[in-house]
Amino acid sequence: MRFEQYLPSLLGLGIDVELAPLLRNEYLERLYAKRPVAWGQVLADYFRRVLCLMSVRKFDLLWIEKELFPDFPAWFERLLHACGIHYVVDYDDAIFHNYDMSGNPLRGLLRRKIDAVMRNASLVICGNEYLAARARLAGANKVAILPTVVDLDRYSLSTKGESGELIVGWVGSASTVKYLDNVLPALRLLSAEFPVRLRVIGATFVAPGIDVECRPWSEGGEVEQIKGFDIGIMPLLDSPWERGKCGYKLIQYMACGVPVIASPVGVNETIVDEGVSGYLASSTEEWVDAFRVLGGNAERRRSMGAQGRAAVEERYCLQVAAPRLAKHFADLGKLGAGR
């Protein structure tokens, strides 16, 4: 979402991008299947990246996702800066908290690593203000906020009609499904008043006393899954890591014309226009109130969903973000023109 979906648009704007992933697909397959990491492959992947960096001078800019070598000092980022090689670094998570809040003493030694990566970059692109504030505090030369966006060509408005039950939907993964615990008391109270189903896409979740339906996630099918929701939710804890999130699932729901309810944490407060495209809820009482208002009024759901779609078209879509990103790159490309 932060890189690959931009490539066709960037190419059309005169910017060609060559991808060089750090880790092979098998690493993620093992991770999600909870199989042991093949450390020999990881070491080989790190070495391949070192070789890749030896050819960076043939490019105008280097575009980095978060850091070059996770769990290693910022040696290479410092070296790039010392050699006059311009790089852009992108953040859509508070990755610096993997170091400065880690209980691992070795990681703790790198607690200022991401600050060094930001400080030596020609531009730091951040998905929200929380991340941008850290970049400015680190002494970054230039900071730009670019939200995580969706491609409008992939998203169409929901045409879901009335049904005998309210479908409350959530999209995520095994690592984020824990946040649903925060909304369970509200859903139990709501279930006593009218039929409610919690539809979980991308994870397994069990909640006694609540009708839960779990469905697998797929890239090709996620939009149709979301269009089946009456309400999309994004509960979160209010902690440093969550404040760095970019609210992507909220934007997905809104792009499909689905009204939203979310915890008022981090960028959620910016994405959700309270009472217009959805509601922000902290306590069980606030979640229940929001569910009741939306659950009992289909016309309000349609109206708020339309407002959410309009907000995505204005601020949170690839069609708006790609020209902005291209301009940032073009401006920095001029810095390297004399090399």
PDB file of all heavy atoms in Angstrom, residues 200-231:
ATOM      1  N   VAL A 200     -15.524 -11.402  11.024  1.00  0.00           N
ATOM      2  CA  VAL A 200     -14.086 -11.199  11.156  1.00  0.00           C
ATOM      3  C   VAL A 200     -13.402 -11.711   9.899  1.00  0.00           C
ATOM      4  O   VAL A 200     -13.505 -12.897   9.568  1.00  0.00           O
ATOM      5  CB  VAL A 200     -13.543 -11.925  12.406  1.00  0.00           C
ATOM      6  CG1 VAL A 200     -12.036 -11.776  12.504  1.00  0.00           C
ATOM      7  CG2 VAL A 200     -14.220 -11.401  13.666  1.00  0.00           C
ATOM      8  N   ILE A 201     -12.703 -10.823   9.200  1.00  0.00           N
ATOM      9  CA  ILE A 201     -12.019 -11.192   7.967  1.00  0.00           C
ATOM     10  C   ILE A 201     -10.517 -11.217   8.214  1.00  0.00           C
ATOM     11  O   ILE A 201      -9.922 -10.215   8.590  1.00  0.00           O
ATOM     12  CB  ILE A 201     -12.318 -10.186   6.829  1.00  0.00           C
ATOM     13  CG1 ILE A 201     -13.822  -9.931   6.692  1.00  0.00           C
ATOM     14  CG2 ILE A 201     -11.712 -10.661   5.517  1.00  0.00           C
ATOM     15  CD1 ILE A 201     -14.635 -11.149   6.357  1.00  0.00           C
ATOM     16  N   GLY A 202      -9.906 -12.379   8.047  1.00  0.00           N
ATOM     17  CA  GLY A 202      -8.457 -12.477   8.122  1.00  0.00           C
ATOM     18  C   GLY A 202      -7.899 -13.042   9.416  1.00  0.00           C
ATOM     19  O   GLY A 202      -6.685 -13.081   9.589  1.00  0.00           O
ATOM     20  N   ALA A 203      -8.765 -13.479  10.319  1.00  0.00           N
ATOM     21  CA  ALA A 203      -8.280 -14.020  11.594  1.00  0.00           C
ATOM     22  C   ALA A 203      -9.349 -14.934  12.190  1.00  0.00           C
ATOM     23  O   ALA A 203     -10.508 -14.917  11.771  1.00  0.00           O
ATOM     24  CB  ALA A 203      -7.942 -12.899  12.566  1.00  0.00           C
ATOM     25  N   THR A 204      -8.928 -15.707  13.181  1.00  0.00           N
ATOM     26  CA  THR A 204      -9.849 -16.565  13.921  1.00  0.00           C
ATOM     27  C   THR A 204     -10.169 -15.899  15.248  1.00  0.00           C
ATOM     28  O   THR A 204      -9.273 -15.437  15.944  1.00  0.00           O
ATOM     29  CB  THR A 204      -9.224 -17.948  14.168  1.00  0.00           C
ATOM     30  OG1 THR A 204      -8.934 -18.567  12.904  1.00  0.00           O
ATOM     31  CG2 THR A 204     -10.179 -18.846  14.940  1.00  0.00           C
ATOM     32  N   PHE A 205     -11.453 -15.844  15.582  1.00  0.00           N
ATOM     33  CA  PHE A 205     -11.866 -15.157  16.804  1.00  0.00           C
ATOM     34  C   PHE A 205     -13.079 -15.862  17.377  1.00  0.00           C
ATOM     35  O   PHE A 205     -14.024 -16.189  16.661  1.00  0.00           O
ATOM     36  CB  PHE A 205     -12.209 -13.698  16.492  1.00  0.00           C
ATOM     37  CG  PHE A 205     -12.458 -12.847  17.701  1.00  0.00           C
ATOM     38  CD1 PHE A 205     -11.420 -12.506  18.558  1.00  0.00           C
ATOM     39  CD2 PHE A 205     -13.734 -12.380  17.976  1.00  0.00           C
ATOM     40  CE1 PHE A 205     -11.653 -11.718  19.674  1.00  0.00           C
ATOM     41  CE2 PHE A 205     -13.974 -11.579  19.086  1.00  0.00           C
ATOM     42  CZ  PHE A 205     -12.931 -11.250  19.938  1.00  0.00           C
ATOM     43  N   VAL A 206     -13.035 -16.114  18.678  1.00  0.00           N
ATOM     44  CA  VAL A 206     -14.137 -16.769  19.389  1.00  0.00           C
ATOM     45  C   VAL A 206     -14.588 -15.866  20.515  1.00  0.00           C
ATOM     46  O   VAL A 206     -13.761 -15.349  21.284  1.00  0.00           O
ATOM     47  CB  VAL A 206     -13.699 -18.146  19.958  1.00  0.00           C
ATOM     48  CG1 VAL A 206     -14.839 -18.778  20.735  1.00  0.00           C
ATOM     49  CG2 VAL A 206     -13.238 -19.065  18.832  1.00  0.00           C
ATOM     50  N   ALA A 207     -15.897 -15.649  20.620  1.00  0.00           N
ATOM     51  CA  ALA A 207     -16.443 -14.780  21.662  1.00  0.00           C
ATOM     52  C   ALA A 207     -17.771 -15.359  22.143  1.00  0.00           C
ATOM     53  O   ALA A 207     -18.807 -15.185  21.490  1.00  0.00           O
ATOM     54  CB  ALA A 207     -16.635 -13.361  21.141  1.00  0.00           C
ATOM     55  N   PRO A 208     -17.757 -16.073  23.270  1.00  0.00           N
ATOM     56  CA  PRO A 208     -18.999 -16.642  23.800  1.00  0.00           C
ATOM     57  C   PRO A 208     -20.073 -15.574  23.981  1.00  0.00           C
ATOM     58  O   PRO A 208     -19.798 -14.474  24.445  1.00  0.00           O
ATOM     59  CB  PRO A 208     -18.565 -17.226  25.152  1.00  0.00           C
ATOM     60  CG  PRO A 208     -17.108 -17.508  24.981  1.00  0.00           C
ATOM     61  CD  PRO A 208     -16.596 -16.414  24.104  1.00  0.00           C
ATOM     62  N   GLY A 209     -21.288 -15.914  23.587  1.00  0.00           N
ATOM     63  CA  GLY A 209     -22.393 -14.985  23.742  1.00  0.00           C
ATOM     64  C   GLY A 209     -22.588 -14.065  22.552  1.00  0.00           C
ATOM     65  O   GLY A 209     -23.518 -13.252  22.541  1.00  0.00           O
ATOM     66  N   ILE A 210     -21.719 -14.191  21.544  1.00  0.00           N
ATOM     67  CA  ILE A 210     -21.815 -13.341  20.350  1.00  0.00           C
ATOM     68  C   ILE A 210     -21.759 -14.232  19.108  1.00  0.00           C
ATOM     69  O   ILE A 210     -20.985 -15.195  19.045  1.00  0.00           O
ATOM     70  CB  ILE A 210     -20.663 -12.318  20.301  1.00  0.00           C
ATOM     71  CG1 ILE A 210     -20.745 -11.361  21.492  1.00  0.00           C
ATOM     72  CG2 ILE A 210     -20.701 -11.506  19.002  1.00  0.00           C
ATOM     73  CD1 ILE A 210     -19.580 -10.416  21.588  1.00  0.00           C
ATOM     74  N   ASP A 211     -22.593 -13.905  18.132  1.00  0.00           N
ATOM     75  CA  ASP A 211     -22.568 -14.618  16.858  1.00  0.00           C
ATOM     76  C   ASP A 211     -21.373 -14.112  16.052  1.00  0.00           C
ATOM     77  O   ASP A 211     -21.366 -12.978  15.577  1.00  0.00           O
ATOM     78  CB  ASP A 211     -23.876 -14.342  16.109  1.00  0.00           C
ATOM     79  CG  ASP A 211     -23.950 -15.096  14.780  1.00  0.00           C
ATOM     80  OD1 ASP A 211     -23.037 -15.907  14.507  1.00  0.00           O
ATOM     81  OD2 ASP A 211     -24.909 -14.857  14.022  1.00  0.00           O
ATOM     82  N   VAL A 212     -20.330 -14.948  15.945  1.00  0.00           N
ATOM     83  CA  VAL A 212     -19.099 -14.569  15.246  1.00  0.00           C
ATOM     84  C   VAL A 212     -18.940 -15.442  14.009  1.00  0.00           C
ATOM     85  O   VAL A 212     -19.062 -16.664  14.070  1.00  0.00           O
ATOM     86  CB  VAL A 212     -17.860 -14.718  16.147  1.00  0.00           C
ATOM     87  CG1 VAL A 212     -16.602 -14.314  15.382  1.00  0.00           C
ATOM     88  CG2 VAL A 212     -18.005 -13.892  17.412  1.00  0.00           C
ATOM     89  N   GLU A 213     -18.652 -14.787  12.886  1.00  0.00           N
ATOM     90  CA  GLU A 213     -18.383 -15.492  11.634  1.00  0.00           C
ATOM     91  C   GLU A 213     -16.983 -15.107  11.156  1.00  0.00           C
ATOM     92  O   GLU A 213     -16.708 -13.924  10.941  1.00  0.00           O
ATOM     93  CB  GLU A 213     -19.413 -15.094  10.575  1.00  0.00           C
ATOM     94  CG  GLU A 213     -19.165 -15.725   9.212  1.00  0.00           C
ATOM     95  CD  GLU A 213     -20.085 -15.166   8.146  1.00  0.00           C
ATOM     96  OE1 GLU A 213     -20.809 -14.192   8.414  1.00  0.00           O
ATOM     97  OE2 GLU A 213     -20.064 -15.708   7.019  1.00  0.00           O
ATOM     98  N   CYS A 214     -16.113 -16.080  11.026  1.00  0.00           N
ATOM     99  CA  CYS A 214     -14.741 -15.819  10.582  1.00  0.00           C
ATOM    100  C   CYS A 214     -14.578 -16.252   9.128  1.00  0.00           C
ATOM    101  O   CYS A 214     -14.971 -17.366   8.759  1.00  0.00           O
ATOM    102  CB  CYS A 214     -13.742 -16.567  11.465  1.00  0.00           C
ATOM    103  SG  CYS A 214     -13.765 -16.049  13.190  1.00  0.00           S
ATOM    104  N   ARG A 215     -14.003 -15.374   8.331  1.00  0.00           N
ATOM    105  CA  ARG A 215     -13.779 -15.663   6.925  1.00  0.00           C
ATOM    106  C   ARG A 215     -12.319 -15.412   6.573  1.00  0.00           C
ATOM    107  O   ARG A 215     -11.700 -14.495   7.119  1.00  0.00           O
ATOM    108  CB  ARG A 215     -14.673 -14.790   6.036  1.00  0.00           C
ATOM    109  CG  ARG A 215     -16.165 -15.065   6.166  1.00  0.00           C
ATOM    110  CD  ARG A 215     -16.940 -14.213   5.169  1.00  0.00           C
ATOM    111  NE  ARG A 215     -18.363 -14.491   5.185  1.00  0.00           N
ATOM    112  CZ  ARG A 215     -19.246 -13.919   4.374  1.00  0.00           C
ATOM    113  NH1 ARG A 215     -18.834 -13.025   3.458  1.00  0.00           N
ATOM    114  NH2 ARG A 215     -20.522 -14.224   4.442  1.00  0.00           N
ATOM    115  N   PRO A 216     -11.768 -16.177   5.642  1.00  0.00           N
ATOM    116  CA  PRO A 216     -10.374 -15.943   5.237  1.00  0.00           C
ATOM    117  C   PRO A 216     -10.257 -14.654   4.434  1.00  0.00           C
ATOM    118  O   PRO A 216     -11.210 -14.237   3.757  1.00  0.00           O
ATOM    119  CB  PRO A 216     -10.037 -17.161   4.378  1.00  0.00           C
ATOM    120  CG  PRO A 216     -11.368 -17.640   3.870  1.00  0.00           C
ATOM    121  CD  PRO A 216     -12.347 -17.349   4.950  1.00  0.00           C
ATOM    122  N   TRP A 217      -9.073 -14.043   4.505  1.00  0.00           N
ATOM    123  CA  TRP A 217      -8.797 -12.832   3.737  1.00  0.00           C
ATOM    124  C   TRP A 217      -8.121 -13.195   2.428  1.00  0.00           C
ATOM    125  O   TRP A 217      -7.311 -14.118   2.358  1.00  0.00           O
ATOM    126  CB  TRP A 217      -7.885 -11.903   4.530  1.00  0.00           C
ATOM    127  CG  TRP A 217      -7.465 -10.668   3.763  1.00  0.00           C
ATOM    128  CD1 TRP A 217      -8.107  -9.469   3.728  1.00  0.00           C
ATOM    129  CD2 TRP A 217      -6.303 -10.532   2.930  1.00  0.00           C
ATOM    130  NE1 TRP A 217      -7.442  -8.584   2.920  1.00  0.00           N
ATOM    131  CE2 TRP A 217      -6.322  -9.206   2.409  1.00  0.00           C
ATOM    132  CE3 TRP A 217      -5.262 -11.379   2.560  1.00  0.00           C
ATOM    133  CZ2 TRP A 217      -5.325  -8.726   1.558  1.00  0.00           C
ATOM    134  CZ3 TRP A 217      -4.286 -10.903   1.698  1.00  0.00           C
ATOM    135  CH2 TRP A 217      -4.317  -9.585   1.211  1.00  0.00           C
ATOM    136  N   SER A 218      -8.448 -12.457   1.383  1.00  0.00           N
ATOM    137  CA  SER A 218      -7.697 -12.542   0.136  1.00  0.00           C
ATOM    138  C   SER A 218      -7.668 -11.155  -0.472  1.00  0.00           C
ATOM    139  O   SER A 218      -8.617 -10.367  -0.318  1.00  0.00           O
ATOM    140  CB  SER A 218      -8.327 -13.533  -0.845  1.00  0.00           C
ATOM    141  OG  SER A 218      -9.560 -13.041  -1.342  1.00  0.00           O
ATOM    142  N   GLU A 219      -6.591 -10.833  -1.157  1.00  0.00           N
ATOM    143  CA  GLU A 219      -6.466  -9.510  -1.767  1.00  0.00           C
ATOM    144  C   GLU A 219      -7.570  -9.267  -2.785  1.00  0.00           C
ATOM    145  O   GLU A 219      -8.158  -8.184  -2.847  1.00  0.00           O
ATOM    146  CB  GLU A 219      -5.095  -9.362  -2.426  1.00  0.00           C
ATOM    147  CG  GLU A 219      -4.849  -7.977  -2.991  1.00  0.00           C
ATOM    148  CD  GLU A 219      -3.452  -7.829  -3.587  1.00  0.00           C
ATOM    149  OE1 GLU A 219      -2.741  -8.843  -3.693  1.00  0.00           O
ATOM    150  OE2 GLU A 219      -3.086  -6.694  -3.928  1.00  0.00           O
ATOM    151  N   GLY A 220      -7.881 -10.306  -3.568  1.00  0.00           N
ATOM    152  CA  GLY A 220      -8.885 -10.145  -4.598  1.00  0.00           C
ATOM    153  C   GLY A 220     -10.302 -10.061  -4.069  1.00  0.00           C
ATOM    154  O   GLY A 220     -11.180  -9.496  -4.727  1.00  0.00           O
ATOM    155  N   GLY A 221     -10.529 -10.612  -2.864  1.00  0.00           N
ATOM    156  CA  GLY A 221     -11.895 -10.662  -2.348  1.00  0.00           C
ATOM    157  C   GLY A 221     -12.218  -9.699  -1.232  1.00  0.00           C
ATOM    158  O   GLY A 221     -13.370  -9.618  -0.785  1.00  0.00           O
ATOM    159  N   GLU A 222     -11.219  -8.930  -0.748  1.00  0.00           N
ATOM    160  CA  GLU A 222     -11.461  -8.111   0.447  1.00  0.00           C
ATOM    161  C   GLU A 222     -12.503  -7.018   0.219  1.00  0.00           C
ATOM    162  O   GLU A 222     -13.283  -6.696   1.128  1.00  0.00           O
ATOM    163  CB  GLU A 222     -10.159  -7.514   0.989  1.00  0.00           C
ATOM    164  CG  GLU A 222      -9.490  -6.504   0.085  1.00  0.00           C
ATOM    165  CD  GLU A 222      -8.254  -5.884   0.725  1.00  0.00           C
ATOM    166  OE1 GLU A 222      -8.091  -6.011   1.949  1.00  0.00           O
ATOM    167  OE2 GLU A 222      -7.450  -5.271  -0.003  1.00  0.00           O
ATOM    168  N   VAL A 223     -12.538  -6.435  -0.974  1.00  0.00           N
ATOM    169  CA  VAL A 223     -13.493  -5.358  -1.222  1.00  0.00           C
ATOM    170  C   VAL A 223     -14.921  -5.879  -1.141  1.00  0.00           C
ATOM    171  O   VAL A 223     -15.789  -5.271  -0.499  1.00  0.00           O
ATOM    172  CB  VAL A 223     -13.228  -4.683  -2.580  1.00  0.00           C
ATOM    173  CG1 VAL A 223     -14.341  -3.691  -2.916  1.00  0.00           C
ATOM    174  CG2 VAL A 223     -11.883  -3.964  -2.561  1.00  0.00           C
ATOM    175  N   GLU A 224     -15.194  -7.016  -1.775  1.00  0.00           N
ATOM    176  CA  GLU A 224     -16.536  -7.594  -1.709  1.00  0.00           C
ATOM    177  C   GLU A 224     -16.906  -7.978  -0.285  1.00  0.00           C
ATOM    178  O   GLU A 224     -18.069  -7.862   0.119  1.00  0.00           O
ATOM    179  CB  GLU A 224     -16.629  -8.813  -2.630  1.00  0.00           C
ATOM    180  CG  GLU A 224     -16.637  -8.461  -4.113  1.00  0.00           C
ATOM    181  CD  GLU A 224     -17.763  -7.495  -4.487  1.00  0.00           C
ATOM    182  OE1 GLU A 224     -18.919  -7.723  -4.038  1.00  0.00           O
ATOM    183  OE2 GLU A 224     -17.488  -6.515  -5.199  1.00  0.00           O
ATOM    184  N   GLN A 225     -15.925  -8.427   0.487  1.00  0.00           N
ATOM    185  CA  GLN A 225     -16.185  -8.742   1.894  1.00  0.00           C
ATOM    186  C   GLN A 225     -16.619  -7.491   2.654  1.00  0.00           C
ATOM    187  O   GLN A 225     -17.590  -7.500   3.422  1.00  0.00           O
ATOM    188  CB  GLN A 225     -14.925  -9.332   2.544  1.00  0.00           C
ATOM    189  CG  GLN A 225     -14.446 -10.627   1.950  1.00  0.00           C
ATOM    190  CD  GLN A 225     -15.103 -11.849   2.582  1.00  0.00           C
ATOM    191  OE1 GLN A 225     -16.249 -11.791   3.016  1.00  0.00           O
ATOM    192  NE2 GLN A 225     -14.366 -12.944   2.631  1.00  0.00           N
ATOM    193  N   ILE A 226     -15.903  -6.395   2.458  1.00  0.00           N
ATOM    194  CA  ILE A 226     -16.227  -5.152   3.156  1.00  0.00           C
ATOM    195  C   ILE A 226     -17.598  -4.636   2.746  1.00  0.00           C
ATOM    196  O   ILE A 226     -18.357  -4.108   3.572  1.00  0.00           O
ATOM    197  CB  ILE A 226     -15.132  -4.098   2.894  1.00  0.00           C
ATOM    198  CG1 ILE A 226     -13.824  -4.518   3.553  1.00  0.00           C
ATOM    199  CG2 ILE A 226     -15.559  -2.722   3.416  1.00  0.00           C
ATOM    200  CD1 ILE A 226     -12.620  -3.674   3.170  1.00  0.00           C
ATOM    201  N   LYS A 227     -17.940  -4.781   1.482  1.00  0.00           N
ATOM    202  CA  LYS A 227     -19.233  -4.300   0.992  1.00  0.00           C
ATOM    203  C   LYS A 227     -20.404  -5.057   1.632  1.00  0.00           C
ATOM    204  O   LYS A 227     -21.549  -4.618   1.545  1.00  0.00           O
ATOM    205  CB  LYS A 227     -19.283  -4.401  -0.531  1.00  0.00           C
ATOM    206  CG  LYS A 227     -18.393  -3.362  -1.216  1.00  0.00           C
ATOM    207  CD  LYS A 227     -18.175  -3.657  -2.686  1.00  0.00           C
ATOM    208  CE  LYS A 227     -19.435  -3.569  -3.492  1.00  0.00           C
ATOM    209  NZ  LYS A 227     -19.149  -3.742  -4.949  1.00  0.00           N
ATOM    210  N   GLY A 228     -20.107  -6.180   2.279  1.00  0.00           N
ATOM    211  CA  GLY A 228     -21.140  -6.926   2.995  1.00  0.00           C
ATOM    212  C   GLY A 228     -21.353  -6.457   4.418  1.00  0.00           C
ATOM    213  O   GLY A 228     -22.222  -6.980   5.128  1.00  0.00           O
ATOM    214  N   PHE A 229     -20.564  -5.471   4.879  1.00  0.00           N
ATOM    215  CA  PHE A 229     -20.713  -4.946   6.247  1.00  0.00           C
ATOM    216  C   PHE A 229     -21.830  -3.898   6.294  1.00  0.00           C
ATOM    217  O   PHE A 229     -22.022  -3.126   5.354  1.00  0.00           O
ATOM    218  CB  PHE A 229     -19.427  -4.259   6.719  1.00  0.00           C
ATOM    219  CG  PHE A 229     -18.205  -5.132   6.804  1.00  0.00           C
ATOM    220  CD1 PHE A 229     -16.945  -4.551   6.989  1.00  0.00           C
ATOM    221  CD2 PHE A 229     -18.284  -6.514   6.707  1.00  0.00           C
ATOM    222  CE1 PHE A 229     -15.806  -5.325   7.074  1.00  0.00           C
ATOM    223  CE2 PHE A 229     -17.132  -7.304   6.798  1.00  0.00           C
ATOM    224  CZ  PHE A 229     -15.897  -6.700   6.970  1.00  0.00           C
ATOM    225  N   ASP A 230     -22.523  -3.830   7.425  1.00  0.00           N
ATOM    226  CA  ASP A 230     -23.404  -2.688   7.721  1.00  0.00           C
ATOM    227  C   ASP A 230     -22.617  -1.592   8.424  1.00  0.00           C
ATOM    228  O   ASP A 230     -22.864  -0.407   8.225  1.00  0.00           O
ATOM    229  CB  ASP A 230     -24.579  -3.127   8.609  1.00  0.00           C
ATOM    230  CG  ASP A 230     -25.554  -4.016   7.865  1.00  0.00           C
ATOM    231  OD1 ASP A 230     -26.045  -3.595   6.797  1.00  0.00           O
ATOM    232  OD2 ASP A 230     -25.833  -5.138   8.348  1.00  0.00           O
ATOM    233  N   ILE A 231     -21.660  -2.009   9.275  1.00  0.00           N
ATOM    234  CA  ILE A 231     -20.803  -1.091  10.027  1.00  0.00           C
ATOM    235  C   ILE A 231     -19.398  -1.668  10.041  1.00  0.00           C
ATOM    236  O   ILE A 231     -19.220  -2.868  10.254  1.00  0.00           O
ATOM    237  CB  ILE A 231     -21.295  -0.923  11.487  1.00  0.00           C
ATOM    238  CG1 ILE A 231     -22.734  -0.420  11.533  1.00  0.00           C
ATOM    239  CG2 ILE A 231     -20.379   0.023  12.263  1.00  0.00           C
ATOM    240  CD1 ILE A 231     -23.357  -0.474  12.928  1.00  0.00           C
TER     241      ILE A 231
END
